[in-house]
């Protein structure tokens, strides 16, 4: 008996003969019939539609919601406008990462979107830490989540909406949309490096909007995309993946996410440990690698500078856009300079590699929109938190 959880789009995935795989307790599409490589290129060149309903959605409301959220995450939730969102880490007291999350500020509080693999952990962590004036509510089962990503994403969404829903919606901003009488939350962000949107609506309506988007986007080349291409797209952008570049033993400072750690905002869980790490020296640093051979680096492969072990690969594979092997790794800071030659030791022995600037893929359209924002505080301009 298959006991895996199924998203509101599961029937679509089976009907389209997707390759289904278990993922964090869910049965999810790895790819469809075109395969991961083709799906990756659809997103880079046109647009792709992802089912990400398996991710966890938690509400934080009540009189103490702002202070509590600010204490739970390392970024500054109090700075958010009501139509803004941010990316952050939830840390433990030792500075390790319990999860990396997206936090939406709304009039009634916050929506925290968490990784499916960490949902139970974060849900229980919030319960343990919440004061009496905070109300926590999970809506993972009640709400579906779709990601529309690619250069054509804005035109596809607006063709369906019949309005300029994307015009003026800045990066890491969200807005409300009424689709066939259903309340929909639309934000401009994603995990691919391309322009795009995360879309939230009641689970019962998710399949209808998914089908409508595919129909509307068919002339622009919109296709359903599986989790396999989601991973290759994020790796080309050097975005962290929990369990690889982030975990309980890796701090956000080591993972290259110092920009999400706001020491100046005051106390938060993990602050003392992270402050100490900054003062004493960050023990490891995230790097990007390219390899000169066709052999693929794998997560866990050892990294060497000469005969000295300096770290390990955290993610590796072929870049469909660049056509070369790429990898992310954690190494000692003294061996992390861009341009340095190091070696990857894997199943085929030692392979030559070079440390390069991140991201690997630099032509993404994610930050292309330049239209004026809908911020209620014009003084903040287009700055993202």
């Amino acid at each position: 008996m298959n006991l895996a959880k199924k998203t509101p789009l599961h029937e679509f995935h089976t009907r389209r003969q997707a390759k289904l795989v278990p993922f964090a307790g869910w049965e999810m599409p790895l790819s469809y019939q075109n395969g991961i490589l083709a799906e990756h290129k659809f997103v880079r060149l046109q647009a792709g539609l992802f089912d990400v309903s398996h991710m966890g959605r938690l509400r934080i409301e009540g009189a103490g919601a702002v202070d509590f959220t600010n204490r739970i995450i390392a970024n500054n939730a109090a700075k958010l406008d009501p139509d803004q969102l941010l990316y952050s880490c939830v840390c433990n007291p030792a500075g390790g990462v319990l999860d990396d999350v997206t936090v939406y500020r709304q009039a009634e509080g916050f929506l925290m979107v968490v990784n499916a693999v960490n949902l139970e952990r974060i849900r229980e962590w919030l319960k343990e830490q919440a004061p009496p004036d905070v109300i926590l509510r999970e809506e993972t089962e009640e709400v579906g989540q779709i990601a529309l990503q690619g250069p054509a994403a804005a035109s596809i969404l607006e063709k369906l909406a019949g309005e300029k829903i994307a015009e003026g919606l800045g990066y890491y901003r969200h807005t409300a949309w009424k689709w066939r009488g259903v309340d929909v939350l639309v934000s401009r962000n994603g995990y691919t490096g391309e322009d795009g949107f995360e879309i939230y609506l009641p689970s019962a309506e998710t399949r209808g909007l998914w089908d409508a988007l595919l129909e509307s986007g068919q002339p622009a080349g919109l296709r359903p995309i599986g989790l396999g291409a989601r991973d290759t797209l994020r790796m080309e952008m050097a975005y962290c993946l929990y369990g690889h570049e982030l975990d309980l033993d890796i701090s956000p400072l080591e993972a290259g996410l110092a920009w999400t750690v706001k020491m100046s905002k005051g106390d938060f869980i993990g602050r003392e440990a992270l402050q100490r790490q900054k003062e004493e020296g960050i023990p490891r640093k995230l790097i990007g690698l390219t390899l000169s051979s066709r052999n693929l680096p794998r997560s866990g492969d050892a990294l060497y500078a000469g005969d000295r072990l300096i770290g390990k690969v955290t993610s590796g594979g072929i870049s469909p856009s660049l056509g070369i092997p790429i990898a992310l790794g954690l190494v000692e800071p003294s061996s992390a300079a861009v341009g340095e030659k190091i070696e990857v030791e894997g199943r085929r022995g030692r392979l030559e590699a070079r440390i390069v600037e991140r991201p690997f893929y630099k032509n993404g359209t994610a930050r292309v929109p330049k239209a004026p924002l809908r911020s209620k505080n014009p003084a903040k301009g287009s700055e993202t938190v």
Side-chain angles (χ1 to χ4, degrees), residues 6 14 54 64 67 77 79 87 99 113 117 147 167 193 223 239 253 255 263 279-280 304 332 341 361 366 380:
K6 298 174 175 59
T14 55
H54 63 301
D67 290 343
K79 188 179 177 182
Y87 172 75
D99 197 17
V113 181
V117 69
E167 187 175 300
R223 292 172 171 86
Y239 291 156
L253 302 179
M263 295 290 188
E279 292 170 356
E280 295 177 354
Y304 283 88
E332 56 188 43
K341 289 183 178 179
Y361 183 75
K380 290 193 174 184

Side-chain angles (χ1 to χ4, degrees), residues 176-195:
W177 173 35
K178 189 74 82 174
W179 176 74
R180 295 181 182 172
V182 176
D183 290 325
V184 180
L185 173 68
V186 179
S187 61
R188 196 164 208 153
N189 61 303
Y191 196 46
T192 65
E194 300 299 335
D195 187 21

Side-chain angles (χ1 to χ4, degrees), residues 2 4-14 17-32 49-55 57 116-117 145-146 210 225-228 230:
N2 183 359
K5 291 182 284 188
K6 298 174 175 59
T7 76
L9 300 168
H10 187 270
E11 191 275 336
F12 174 89
H13 304 321
T14 55
Q17 299 181 308
K19 182 177 181 181
L20 295 171
V21 295
F23 183 80
W26 296 79
E27 189 170 71
M28 299 298 294
L30 179 69
S31 63
Y32 298 84
L49 204 58
F50 300 81
D51 178 10
V52 285
S53 300
H54 63 301
M55 299 189 74
R57 289 164 287 279
V117 69
Q145 185 177 341
I146 296 169
W210 174 274
I225 309 294
L227 297 184
R230 184 172 164 84

Side-chain angles (χ1 to χ4, degrees), residues 250-258 263 273-286 330-334 336:
I250 303 172
S251 80
L253 302 179
E254 293 175 291
L257 299 177
M263 295 290 188
L274 294 173
Q275 182 63 46
R276 186 166 57 248
Q277 199 171 84
K278 288 183 72 174
E279 292 170 356
E280 295 177 354
I282 299 168
R284 294 171 294 184
K285 187 173 181 180
L286 188 70
L330 282 168
V331 300
E332 56 188 43
S334 62

Side-chain angles (χ1 to χ4, degrees), residues 110-156:
F110 296 91
L111 168 65
M112 179 179 287
V113 181
V114 310
N115 285 298
V117 69
N118 292 326
L119 171 60
E120 184 175 351
R121 171 197 288 171
I122 295 299
R123 184 177 57 220
E124 296 308 308
W125 180 251
L126 295 185
K127 287 181 182 177
E128 290 174 16
Q129 303 298 326
D133 61 350
V134 167
I135 302 167
L136 301 174
R137 179 163 53 87
E138 180 180 353
E139 55 183 30
T140 303
E141 301 287 343
E142 304 165 23
V143 174
Q145 185 177 341
I146 296 169
L148 171 62
Q149 297 281 296
S155 62
I156 291 169

